[in-house]
Amino acid sequence: MIKARITVTLKNGVLDPQGKAIASALATLDFKDVAGVRQGKVFDIQLDHSDRARAETELADMCQKLLANTVIEDYAVEIV
Amino acid sequence: MIKARITVTLKNGVLDPQGKAIASALATLDFKDVAGVRQGKVFDIQLDHSDRARAETELADMCQKLLANTVIEDYAVEIV
């Protein structure tokens, strides 16, 4: 069994309205030191084999095809 | 300036319909080795001071008050 974490975040320069909304909500809750918030996604994926190299290829392929919009998002694959 | 990453994930045992939907979509795309998928959120937060101890307290407080539903979610704070 292989366990991996995929983190998908917006590319630098891409506007993050969700992050902005969170930042202003935090300000409303009196968190005055917040200079910026950007939100992303994590996917914890289990694969039922133990071939690391194959897993890395599969996971990158999953990002390309489904988990990330590679036009505006970056992804990072980490095998735990 | 302090940069931190907060990762919010569902607690073990909490049903993850989104993760299930992603797993079945991956199966449709011919990824046959996927044993499970669980989705979470990441928040990249910038604080405009450099006091690490204060940042850790603030960030945990942000999770408790806004970023995580601590009934069903866990959070991890990482100062980068």
Side-chain angles (χ1 to χ4, degrees), chain A:
Chain A
M1 178 75 71
I2 280 187
K3 290 188 178 181
R5 171 162 284 181
I6 292 175
T7 305
V8 177
T9 51
L10 286 169
K11 289 184 176 181
N12 287 333
V14 174
L15 198 64
D16 181 4
Q18 221 162 338
K20 289 223 181 318
I22 292 166
S24 65
L26 288 170
T28 312
L29 291 169
D30 266 339
F31 293 106
K32 298 300 180 209
D33 303 318
V34 177
V37 178
R38 293 192 51 94
Q39 182 174 352
K41 297 169 283 193
V42 286
F43 302 96
D44 290 329
I45 296 182
Q46 290 182 319
L47 299 175
D48 51 21
H49 64 76
S50 310
D51 180 341
R52 260 184 103 93
R54 188 170 123 208
E56 272 165 16
T57 312
E58 275 177 331
L59 293 162
D61 209 19
M62 290 178 199
C63 292
Q64 294 283 340
K65 288 182 177 164
L66 182 72
L67 302 178
N69 173 350
T70 51
V71 173
I72 59 168
E73 291 174 327
D74 289 322
Y75 62 85
V77 177
E78 181 196 347
I79 295 186
V80 188

